[in-house]
Amino acid sequence: RAPTAALSAAGLSCDEIVRAGGPARSPLWLQMHADATGRPVVVCENSDAPLLGCAVLASVACGVHRDVATAVGEMVRTARRVEPNGEMVDKYTEVYSVYRKLSSSLRGVSSAISELRGGGSSFGSQQEFGVSDSADDGDVIISPSLLASDWSNIKGEIQRCMEAKAKWIHVDVFDGVFLNSPLAFTFGPQMVQAMRRCSDDIILDVHMCVVDPRRFVGEGMISI
């Protein structure tokens, strides 16, 4: 509610809210958002916003669509629309009035905590690990994901990416624990090593979604 109120105060309009990711799969959560904000909540056909956004940008970079606006018009489609419940909107408005008082009274405390923490951190930056994007200013890096490839022919899939002039390949290493699902179990260190042996020219962009990354990094494992 606060962000939409801030937009209104700035003279900007917000007619609807587009939800993506995990929350988009919960009817209760979607209805709460609609009721708390008093605005319709829209769920797209593909609710994985980062994935869809990458596909939109890649389609423009590859020349499939002439610009981002056109790509969005062709690729982003509405699946459902959740309308706010008028009675619940009134109740949330009462709660929000109390929240605003609480928020303003705690603003000084929040600022003090932020100062104690020392602000942002550069930990984990590309510069810290000596990683370069190997692209000139203005270039677009497209990193095809092997998660969507034919796992029975990984070497052939990597070769296919190289033939398409890809210089980066995205590799998802999921241990099935960090995301508690038997479906979230993908490539292990030995497979990544085998991928590395396919070519010295390709850059492996490894995404690790694991409980303990230290188990997967080091001698005989995944090198960074």
Side-chain angles (χ1 to χ4, degrees):
R1 181 69 174 267
T4 57
L7 288 173
S8 298
L12 302 174
S13 62
C14 176
D15 300 325
E16 61 183 23
I17 297 172
V18 179
R19 289 299 303 166
R25 293 191 288 268
S26 170
L28 174 61
W29 193 245
L30 295 173
Q31 190 64 59
M32 288 176 64
H33 272 75
D35 295 342
T37 61
R39 291 166 172 80
V41 172
V42 173
V43 178
C44 293
E45 192 175 280
N46 186 331
S47 62
D48 192 331
L51 178 63
L52 183 57
C54 288
V56 166
L57 296 177
S59 72
V60 176
C62 293
V64 176
H65 297 294
R66 67 175 182 271
D67 52 40
V68 172
T70 302
V72 169
E74 293 290 335
M75 301 172 66
V76 180
R77 295 180 288 272
T78 298
R80 58 181 299 204
R81 184 181 179 91
V82 180
E83 299 291 341
N85 180 309
E87 182 179 349
M88 292 304 300
V89 170
D90 293 339
K91 292 182 178 180
Y92 273 111
T93 298
E94 294 179 8
V95 174
Y96 180 64
S97 65
V98 177
Y99 165 81
R100 290 187 61 188
K101 297 176 183 178
L102 179 63
S103 176
S104 59
S105 65
L106 291 177
R107 188 168 295 123
V109 176
S110 299
S111 298
I113 292 175
S114 178
E115 291 177 3
L116 287 174
R117 292 179 58 191
S121 170
S122 61
F123 176 77
S125 65
Q126 288 188 331
Q127 290 75 16
E128 181 177 349
F129 290 110
V131 177
S132 171
D133 62 11
S134 71
D136 297 328
D137 291 342
D139 284 352
V140 176
I141 297 177
I142 297 178
S143 181
S145 174
L146 289 180
L147 198 62
S149 69
D150 179 0
W151 291 15
S152 67
N153 184 26
I154 291 293
K155 183 175 182 179
E157 295 285 60
I158 292 176
Q159 184 62 37
R160 192 156 67 99
C161 291
M162 295 177 63
E163 290 173 356
K165 308 302 182 183
K167 297 181 179 179
W168 289 55
I169 290 182
H170 187 81
V171 182
D172 289 291
V173 177
F174 285 24
D175 63 359
V177 180
F178 187 87
L179 293 178
N180 187 19
S181 169
L183 300 178
F185 188 83
T186 59
F187 310 115
Q190 291 179 320
M191 177 61 80
V192 175
Q193 291 171 1
M195 294 174 183
R196 175 73 284 161
R197 290 194 295 270
C198 290
S199 172
D200 293 330
D201 299 325
I202 203 77
I203 297 175
L204 297 183
D205 175 23
V206 181
H207 169 210
M208 302 184 69
C209 190
V210 298
V211 172
D212 186 2
R214 292 170 297 183
R215 295 180 56 224
F216 295 84
V217 179
E219 185 177 354
M221 303 294 274
I222 297 175
S223 299
I224 57 174

